Amino acid sequence: MNREDYIAKAPTFTIYDGFCKTKSVLENHSRIIVSVSGGSDSDDMVDIAEHLKPDDGCELIYVWFDTGIEMAATKLHLKYLQERYGIEIHTESGHKKVAAAVRSDGYPFMNKVVSEYIDRLQTHDFQWEDKPFDVLCQEYPNCKAALRWWCNNWKSEPHKPIQTEIASRGRLKEFMILNPPTFRISKRCCDLAKKSAGDLARAKFGVGIQFIGVRKAEGGPRSTVYKSCMADGKHGLQHFPLFWWSNDDKRAFERTYDIRHSDAYTVYGCSRTGCAGCPFGSRFESELEMLNTFEPSLGVAVSHIFSPSYEYTRAFRDFKKEATRWNL
């Protein structure tokens, strides 16, 4: 199928419009890195890139970032993609694999915002005290942003808790006062294992732009950070071919172009792929059950790697249940 026929088959206007933008990007760059995760959005992006690339003048370099805790189903799916499209997918790594990153820099807990603020407080040897913001600022003068999170002080007037305040995570402050963390908490495993891999790969292959399978409709931090299908920041120029697609657009695309996804979706029942068992996932317990069923060796590995975070999260969830039970 040539490019014109491929574009003409677009089942929705949103997809058609995205095709036109991506075609223009492909025609205006000579070397492009395409980040392949093995996930469903990534599958769609590979199909688009391969069908819309110019006949000459544009080299696509497909890369997969190995964090050290990827599913065998994902690795098998990468082989399928290479065979289906006749491409090579390069395996690249960041500064550290996840297991080493959490040991050296801290464990993910709850979400990236929470982990970032806890990390800052731990850096200043915070004692997890329930004191007024002004008092704590005198004791910890170089940690005001994190103290605002801890004291729910990002707005002066009475307000509903916002994401950058601990009250948005119901009862977390009370729990941490009674149960201060005994291990380092941080979001840096993502930076060291994934984001740095992208930076290193762009430098290694000498490319000017990176394609990433981000959709605004999928939710999560990435979809809210980016405002359009193009971004240019500290990680270089990036294009998101699927950015404006709704879930209905995605389903229509996959029916029209016969897209096949990894066994992680079709057999295991995963709703996402990526770092297996990541504690940032609110449903990590069900993910661990899935891993223990289909990939038990990996299930054992991530249970060990993330053990402190899992146990702290479970203790917090139990605390919330008891507080709710007694209307505390």
Side-chain angles (χ1 to χ4, degrees):
M1 188 187 311
N2 62 34
R3 280 181 291 167
E4 288 69 27
D5 291 341
Y6 188 83
I7 293 173
K9 283 185 65 178
T12 71
F13 177 77
T14 299
I15 293 173
Y16 174 84
D17 186 55
F19 282 175
C20 294
K21 292 173 181 175
T22 298
K23 179 174 178 287
S24 176
V25 174
L26 287 162
E27 291 172 346
N28 284 280
H29 291 85
S30 59
R31 287 170 65 83
I32 298 172
I33 271 191
V34 181
S35 296
V36 183
S37 68
S40 65
D41 288 340
S42 171
D43 291 342
D44 298 348
M45 182 176 62
V46 170
D47 196 77
I48 292 169
E50 275 301 297
H51 282 94
L52 296 186
K53 67 181 180 182
D55 295 331
D56 54 47
C58 179
E59 180 184 5
L60 298 182
I61 302 167
Y62 292 95
V63 296
W64 174 67
F65 303 135
D66 183 6
T67 64
I69 52 172
E70 305 289 341
M71 289 183 282
T74 296
K75 297 174 184 177
L76 184 62
H77 189 64
L78 295 178
K79 294 180 180 179
Y80 160 76
L81 293 174
Q82 291 182 112
E83 293 171 0
R84 172 170 177 170
Y85 297 104
I87 60 176
E88 178 183 3
I89 300 176
H90 301 269
T91 298
E92 303 294 327
S93 297
H95 290 301
K96 293 181 180 180
K97 298 291 180 65
V98 167
V102 297
R103 287 196 300 268
S104 65
D105 289 71
Y107 294 80
F109 169 66
M110 193 165 291
N111 61 40
K112 291 184 180 181
V113 173
V114 169
S115 293
E116 172 67 16
Y117 284 127
I118 292 176
D119 183 17
R120 294 185 191 183
L121 292 172
Q122 287 181 318
T123 298
H124 291 84
D125 196 26
F126 187 64
Q127 297 303 300
W128 314 105
E129 307 164 277
D130 188 17
K131 295 180 180 179
F133 174 71
D134 292 339
V135 174
L136 290 175
C137 282
Q138 294 177 16
E139 297 180 15
Y140 308 93
N142 300 314
C143 194
K144 289 186 178 180
L147 291 174
R148 288 191 185 281
W149 172 77
W150 178 254
C151 296
N152 304 299
N153 191 253
W154 278 105
K155 293 184 178 181
S156 56
E157 72 280 2
H159 61 281
K160 182 179 179 180
I162 57 178
Q163 186 181 21
T164 51
E165 296 176 336
I166 194 171
S168 66
R169 313 303 302 185
R171 305 189 188 280
L172 179 59
K173 183 173 182 176
E174 296 91 329
F175 171 75
M176 294 188 71
I177 290 171
L178 295 172
N179 305 275
T182 57
F183 61 100
R184 188 76 190 206
I185 292 173
S186 168
K187 69 176 182 64
R188 284 195 294 276
C189 61
C190 287
D191 299 329
L192 292 168
K194 283 192 170 181
K195 291 184 180 179
S196 69
D199 296 337
L200 293 170
R202 283 191 296 274
K204 175 180 177 178
F205 293 106
V207 301
I209 187 170
Q210 181 179 11
F211 279 21
I212 304 176
V214 173
R215 286 190 307 119
K216 189 173 181 62
E218 72 181 333
R222 291 196 309 175
S223 64
T224 56
V225 167
Y226 303 123
K227 305 303 180 185
S228 77
C229 64
M230 295 291 295
D232 193 0
K234 65 179 181 179
H235 297 293
L237 189 61
Q238 298 173 325
H239 175 56
F240 317 118
L242 287 63
F243 188 73
W244 297 111
W245 290 15
S246 67
N247 292 334
D248 287 340
D249 290 321
K250 179 177 170 64
R251 284 189 288 268
F253 172 86
E254 292 169 354
R255 287 194 303 268
T256 302
Y257 297 99
D258 189 28
I259 304 300
R260 173 183 144 189
H261 295 313
S262 162
D263 283 354
Y265 295 97
T266 59
V267 178
Y268 298 5
C270 293
S271 58
R272 69 164 196 95
T273 58
C275 294
C278 177
F280 283 150
S282 60
R283 296 186 293 273
F284 72 80
E285 297 283 19
S286 60
E287 189 165 330
L288 287 176
E289 290 181 13
M290 175 275 295
L291 290 173
N292 289 330
T293 299
F294 294 102
E295 300 196 17
S297 296
L298 183 57
V300 170
V302 298
S303 293
H304 174 72
I305 291 169
F306 294 127
S307 177
S309 183
Y310 289 157
E311 293 307 313
Y312 200 55
T313 302
R314 288 164 180 153
F316 171 56
R317 290 175 176 176
D318 289 343
F319 176 84
K320 283 181 64 177
K321 287 179 182 177
E322 283 298 302
T324 301
R325 176 186 175 189
W326 296 103
N327 294 317
L328 298 178

